[in-house]
Amino acid sequence: MNVFLRAATIYHPSSEFHLQKLNILIEQGKITYIGPGEKQADKTIESANLCISVGWVDLFAVTGEPGLEHKEDLQTIAAAAVAGGFTDILCLPNVDPVVQTKGAISYLKNRSGQLPVTLHPTGAVTMDAEGKELTEMIDLKHAGAVAFTDGTHPIQGAEVMVKALQYLQLFDGLLLNRPENTRLTAFGQMHEGIASTRLGLKGIPALAEETIVARDLQLLAYTGGKLHFSLVSTKAAIESIRNAKANGLQVTCDVASYQAAFTDDTIAPFNTNYKVNPPFRSANDVEAVKQGLADGTIDAIVSGHQPHDTEAKKLEFDLAEFGIINLETAFAVANTTLTDTLSLEALIEKLTTAPRTILQLPQPRIAEGEVANLTIFDPEQDWVFNEADKKSKGVNSPFFGQQLTGKVIGIYHKGQLVLN
């Protein structure tokens, strides 16, 4: 199908057409025309504030398949990704069995070919993501793993981190870790502070994140290598990463797009849709997140997508599992809540160029003759995220029924136009 995008503002800093409003023609999967002229096509797309960028990349998503298809499967996560404007997803290894074999990597890569989005597999750092014995990461790399992480399971042992960072240098591999000292967070339910005390809930201290960030940065300085922190959320952790970057360490980090949407004081009490880990933090931490995004300390924005079924969420707060679905709302939430922090241009950079740079993936281009890998969106369109319209199997979102600003129209990827 040939596609004509009429009067689309192009967000792509390395393109000569950056921030220009032009017409784009896509024929047989390639961009064949960019300019002011009208062209004939099978499908014409236009909107009051039509914008395009290269396809968005998510660095933190739990897929569910294999083994946890009752929470999510690859078909539904792909549909959710398309609805949210993502053409590429970094798939965490936290499925059943854990992604730690060449066969598991091959399964994801083969299934990716059947979907409108590209699934980038990660390999577990340790067997069964238990933080003890290292996996055969060289074999996983050769099979197609683009990075290594225990995903939702923070690596606790310093000796494991040292060995992993040294091992990965054999092939310039990237280690991702979610910074949390699980001994300090045991039985925690929300951010430790006045609100948790008032509600009588065990708190998750900021210290739990900050101590692991400080430790991992010390280990990185000792071993060398490349380290990425997933889902940072506290002021001191962000400051430590800022200083480490200034000292030349190869460290990057991301934040969930929803992290600045609420504080521990503004969440709906005992509503499990607001139960995430790391939790919604204090107002000072939210301000630090915004500053970290503005000055580049925080490199990328992610969905933090963790789908759950009714049995995991529709129960008492202290028994419910952590996590929310956010692939479909990641851009809109960031676009709605970070307008005082990031320009649209900067926001798109943290969804496109930055994550690909972190993963050392090829950077698509918006230019005539290039293969089209595009996200199509309207940053000014208001819409409501209704539970009945969601694509994910997950039932857990604090954004159901809320009006958001910034609507994804669709994607063009793998020679396919998929519209919402």
Side-chain angles (χ1 to χ4, degrees):
M1 176 190 291
N2 296 338
V3 178
F4 183 65
L5 301 167
R6 179 175 286 124
T9 301
I10 299 170
Y11 283 86
H12 189 44
S14 64
S15 169
E16 62 179 298
F17 306 112
H18 181 49
L19 300 182
Q20 296 184 44
K21 182 176 285 192
L22 296 168
N23 298 331
I24 299 105
L25 179 65
I26 304 170
E27 297 179 289
Q28 298 180 345
K30 286 191 175 182
I31 300 171
T32 58
Y33 175 79
I34 302 176
E38 290 286 322
K39 299 292 180 180
Q40 293 295 318
D42 303 310
K43 177 71 175 180
T44 297
I45 299 173
E46 53 188 329
S47 176
N49 300 287
L50 186 66
C51 297
I52 66 163
S53 71
V54 297
W56 301 344
V57 181
D58 186 26
L59 293 178
F60 196 99
V62 178
T63 62
E65 184 179 342
L68 302 171
E69 288 89 349
H70 61 289
K71 293 178 180 284
E72 195 80 282
D73 59 47
L74 297 183
Q75 199 74 37
T76 56
I77 199 170
V82 169
F86 292 97
T87 61
D88 298 74
I89 310 171
L90 188 69
C91 299
L92 301 186
N94 309 104
V95 288
D96 188 14
V98 170
V99 179
Q100 58 193 13
T101 65
K102 293 187 289 185
I105 297 291
S106 297
Y107 175 78
L108 269 174
K109 289 175 67 68
N110 291 337
R111 288 285 280 115
S112 177
Q114 306 165 24
L115 300 169
V117 301
T118 299
L119 306 178
H120 297 282
T122 59
V125 175
T126 65
M127 297 299 295
D128 297 322
E130 292 181 342
K132 298 176 182 178
E133 180 185 354
L134 293 184
T135 60
E136 298 291 341
M137 286 183 276
I138 290 179
D139 287 347
L140 298 179
K141 172 67 174 179
H142 290 159
V146 299
F148 297 88
T149 177
D150 279 354
T152 57
H153 295 190
I155 298 173
Q156 297 301 294
E159 75 286 357
V160 174
M161 285 294 296
V162 167
K163 290 176 182 177
L165 285 167
Q166 291 172 330
Y167 189 106
L168 288 169
Q169 289 178 66
L170 296 173
F171 53 88
D172 194 30
L174 174 67
L175 175 62
L176 292 79
N177 192 27
R178 195 176 73 73
E180 178 191 342
N181 184 321
T182 55
R183 290 191 176 185
L184 292 177
T185 62
F187 307 111
Q189 303 297 319
M190 62 177 292
H191 175 67
E192 182 182 82
I194 295 174
S196 65
T197 303
R198 185 174 64 246
L199 295 173
L201 293 173
K202 176 74 164 60
I204 297 174
L207 184 67
E209 178 175 311
E210 294 156 4
T211 54
I212 294 296
V213 167
R215 180 205 71 175
D216 286 358
L217 290 174
Q218 283 186 298
L219 299 179
L220 181 65
Y222 173 74
T223 62
K226 296 189 301 186
L227 177 62
H228 179 86
F229 290 113
S230 299
L231 307 184
V232 297
S233 67
T234 72
K235 180 178 180 178
I238 293 166
E239 183 61 30
S240 294
I241 295 168
R242 182 180 290 114
N243 293 335
K245 287 187 171 191
N247 291 329
L249 293 185
Q250 293 190 80
V251 59
T252 53
C253 66
D254 64 54
V255 68
S257 76
Y258 54 72
Q259 197 65 49
F262 306 100
T263 68
D264 58 333
D265 275 326
T266 63
I267 62 173
F270 304 109
N271 184 331
T272 60
N273 282 332
Y274 293 82
K275 187 177 180 180
V276 292
N277 193 12
F280 294 112
R281 298 284 189 185
S282 70
N284 285 339
D285 292 313
V286 168
E287 187 58 36
V289 165
K290 291 182 176 182
Q291 182 59 41
L293 285 166
D295 67 17
T297 301
I298 300 175
D299 301 87
I301 292 174
V302 301
S303 73
H305 181 79
Q306 296 185 61
H308 291 300
D309 56 354
T310 300
E311 286 73 15
K313 277 291 187 180
K314 304 294 185 182
L315 33 74
E316 292 86 348
F317 196 88
D318 60 330
L319 299 177
E321 294 192 40
F322 291 98
I324 65 175
I325 57 171
N326 193 42
L327 268 172
E328 297 165 73
T329 51
F331 166 72
V333 168
N335 190 55
T336 302
T337 61
L338 298 173
T339 52
D340 60 340
T341 303
L342 291 177
S343 65
L344 179 60
E345 183 179 359
L347 171 57
I348 296 302
E349 190 273 337
K350 292 184 185 295
L351 294 169
T352 55
T353 307
R356 286 187 173 90
T357 299
I358 291 167
L359 296 178
Q360 295 183 299
L361 297 176
Q363 298 281 358
R365 297 178 61 238
I366 299 178
E368 293 180 2
E370 294 289 328
V371 173
N373 180 348
L374 303 173
T375 297
I376 310 163
F377 61 102
D378 183 336
E380 298 182 20
Q381 183 176 338
D382 294 329
W383 63 291
V384 175
F385 182 47
N386 292 314
E387 187 170 4
D389 299 328
K390 68 179 176 62
K391 306 298 182 184
S392 171
K393 284 185 179 180
V395 299
N396 47 314
S397 173
F399 301 108
F400 288 142
Q402 289 201 23
Q403 180 172 294
L404 301 170
T405 301
K407 184 75 169 121
V408 172
I409 295 171
I411 66 168
Y412 193 102
H413 187 43
K414 297 182 178 180
Q416 305 174 57
L417 172 69
V418 187
L419 299 176
N420 293 327

